[in-house]
Amino acid sequence: MTKGIFPIEKIKNLKTPCYYYDAEVLDKTLYALTTAANKYGFLPHYAVKANANEKVLKRIAKTGVGADCVSGGEVLAAVAAGFAPEKIVFAGVGKTDWEIEASLDANIFCFNAESVPEIEVINELAGKKGKKANIELRVNPNVDAHTHAKITTGLNENKFGINLENLQDTIKFVQSLPNVNFIGLHFHIGSQITDNSTFIPLCEAINKLQKELKEAGIKVDNINVGGGLGIDYQDPNTNTIPDFEGYMKTISEHLELLPGQKLHCEPGRSVVGQCGTLLTKVTYVKKGTVKQFAIVDAGMTDLIRPALYDAYHKIENITSDKAEETYDVVGPICESSDVFLKDNKMNGTQRGDILAIRSAGAYGEIMASRYNLRQLPGAVMSDEL
Ligand SMILES: *Cc1c(COP(=O)(O)O)cnc(C)c1O
């Protein structure tokens, strides 16, 4: 089996479980993102929720891309990591007062608002500070991203966004308030989309909407198409860098921007997914009657995606050259869902081997919990070893 490239001598003494971020992969990914964005005139805002590790954030901020935040904590982390406030957007259905106030104080670019009551509160809090807040309205385009039910967000039945039939009234409402500016529309249809043609219905829905708004005399300065570009979990070794070029080309070809409009996007997973690996040591190899188990020191508390979304992560034994055998790779947590991968073929393993759980840079470390009173996983950037 092909294995990823890891500096074994340097990582073998790390305390596991530990997230290992490959700086070179991250930099190459960022280069691909910014090159495509410059070519097609996109303004990317990295979705901080995918990975808010300080070193990862700083590296992304250095490239000049913006940030997409979904909490006050993320806004503060983005500012601290060096993202320009005028490139920070703040989304989410339940922004609380302190989060709105902190974002106003930070002078972020805009709030992606999702309901009338929220807009009223932003207007009121901005007024108290003598400020005018920019508002993009998150629109529910009722487009199916054909992805996992728990990560599909663009359908009418989801809690996100404002439904199309209420949109014009909501825009007029925003325009009637003294302390907010209506500056654009925001969309996000889901996550881990691997077929770029999935974005075409979104573009078409936006085009249709734009015509209606134009006829109603409503000016829209910014279109934000959200995130959702997927990564190749099956093949991180040869398909490492996501196809930002193809994604942006598809959107550029199908989305009809009006003169002067700016196009924003919010990639999360695609920016950080492949640079991260969860390193874990085999604690025991247990032979059952029909299966053998590799019981590792990482659990669903360190990486919850397999338990939560049935997500696949490739697992390699990076310290063994023995012949392949089949193992269920499981964690130590007292939950039967604490399984990383069933029937995984990997090099024959023994206590002390290091397994690499690949493509774990997005929605990995950030979702770690202390359930079972476990310690949080460690994290290192390759260039600091
Ligand atoms: C989660 C999210 C993103 C990022 O999604 P990815 O699938 O990680 O690219 C972007 N925008 C919004 C509003 C989100 O909620």
Side-chain angles (χ1 to χ4, degrees):
M1 148 196 269
T2 54
K3 283 190 271 183
I5 299 160
F6 294 93
I8 304 288
E9 282 309 308
K10 288 181 178 164
I11 61 178
K12 72 178 184 201
N13 295 323
L14 290 174
K15 183 172 180 289
T16 53
C18 182
Y19 278 90
Y20 171 82
Y21 296 111
D22 187 323
E24 194 185 323
V25 171
L26 179 56
D27 287 349
K28 281 185 179 161
T29 307
L30 288 166
Y31 180 77
L33 170 70
T34 51
T35 305
N38 290 339
K39 177 170 169 189
Y40 292 102
F42 277 58
L43 300 172
H45 304 263
Y46 164 66
V48 172
K49 76 173 187 283
N51 188 320
N53 177 289
E54 195 187 334
K55 289 161 206 153
V56 171
L57 282 187
K58 282 189 174 155
R59 226 169 171 100
I60 299 171
K62 257 198 209 143
T63 67
V65 307
D68 160 38
C69 302
V70 291
S71 74
E74 286 188 359
V75 171
L76 297 178
V79 171
F83 286 92
E86 67 274 13
K87 292 182 184 173
I88 296 178
V89 303
F90 180 14
V93 293
K95 302 177 191 76
T96 59
D97 291 14
W98 83 260
E99 294 178 305
I100 295 168
E101 284 165 353
S103 304
L104 288 166
D105 290 342
N107 295 316
I108 65 165
F109 173 59
C110 78
F111 293 84
N112 289 337
E114 308 211 12
S115 69
V116 166
E118 176 195 339
I119 295 160
E120 287 171 334
V121 171
I122 296 172
N123 178 63
E124 185 193 322
L125 296 177
K128 278 190 190 147
K129 290 184 184 292
K131 294 194 170 186
K132 214 162 172 177
N134 286 337
I135 302 269
E136 279 180 356
L137 291 179
R138 177 157 175 181
V139 180
N140 199 331
N142 204 21
V143 167
D144 194 347
H146 303 293
T147 181
H148 192 283
K150 284 185 191 154
I151 51 177
T152 294
T153 57
L155 291 171
N156 273 341
E157 64 219 55
N158 294 122
K159 69 180 173 185
F160 298 103
I162 290 165
N163 287 339
L164 286 173
E165 55 268 33
N166 305 329
L167 181 62
Q168 290 202 18
D169 288 345
T170 312
I171 293 174
K172 284 176 189 147
F173 177 69
V174 176
Q175 290 173 333
S176 75
L177 297 174
N179 310 314
V180 287
N181 287 320
F182 169 73
I183 64 152
L185 300 174
H186 174 226
F187 306 82
H188 177 67
I189 56 172
S191 217
Q192 185 49 18
I193 297 167
T194 46
D195 177 358
N196 281 332
S197 68
T198 304
F199 293 104
I200 297 175
L202 170 65
C203 294
E204 287 166 351
I206 296 173
N207 294 342
K208 183 162 171 277
L209 183 57
Q210 292 246 67
K211 283 204 185 82
E212 290 166 15
L213 295 178
K214 200 173 166 208
E215 276 161 25
I218 294 168
K219 190 164 169 284
V220 179
D221 292 331
N222 296 276
I223 299 285
N224 183 335
V225 293
L229 179 62
I231 61 167
D232 190 344
Y233 284 97
Q234 304 292 328
D235 193 5
N237 292 322
T238 54
N239 194 5
T240 314
I241 311 296
D243 184 15
F244 295 108
E245 159 75 32
Y247 161 76
M248 293 188 190
K249 184 166 188 273
T250 302
I251 292 182
S252 297
E253 280 174 1
H254 292 90
L255 185 68
E256 295 159 17
L257 283 184
L258 300 177
Q261 275 184 336
K262 293 210 167 77
L263 183 57
H264 303 252
C265 64
E266 301 169 333
R269 181 192 316 265
S270 53
V271 179
V272 289
Q274 298 290 33
C275 76
T277 295
L278 177 58
L279 298 173
T280 181
K281 278 202 181 103
V282 176
T283 313
Y284 301 107
V285 176
K286 173 172 161 177
K287 307 224 184 244
T289 45
V290 284
K291 289 194 161 209
Q292 53 180 352
F293 298 91
I295 302 170
V296 298
D297 61 4
M300 62 191 283
T301 51
D302 305 295
L303 175 66
I304 202 174
R305 297 188 70 259
L308 191 60
Y309 309 121
D310 301 313
Y312 172 82
H313 286 265
K314 187 180 176 77
I315 301 180
E316 300 166 340
N317 183 348
I318 58 173
T319 51
S320 159
D321 290 317
K322 293 193 186 126
E324 279 186 1
E325 292 184 45
T326 303
Y327 302 87
D328 279 14
V329 180
V330 303
I333 314 293
C334 301
E335 295 286 340
S336 32
S337 56
D338 187 31
V339 175
F340 286 114
L341 192 53
K342 286 188 173 159
D343 300 319
N344 184 44
K345 283 199 176 60
M346 61 182 182
N347 294 358
T349 189
Q350 60 187 23
R351 175 176 166 84
D353 275 347
I354 300 176
L355 305 190
I357 306 182
R358 305 293 307 280
S359 312
Y363 309 106
E365 184 187 358
I366 193 67
M367 289 179 113
S369 83
R370 292 213 52 213
Y371 180 48
N372 281 198
L373 275 189
R374 285 173 51 86
Q375 293 175 342
L376 290 172
V380 293
M381 183 66 76
S382 61
D383 63 358
E384 67 185 10
L385 287 177

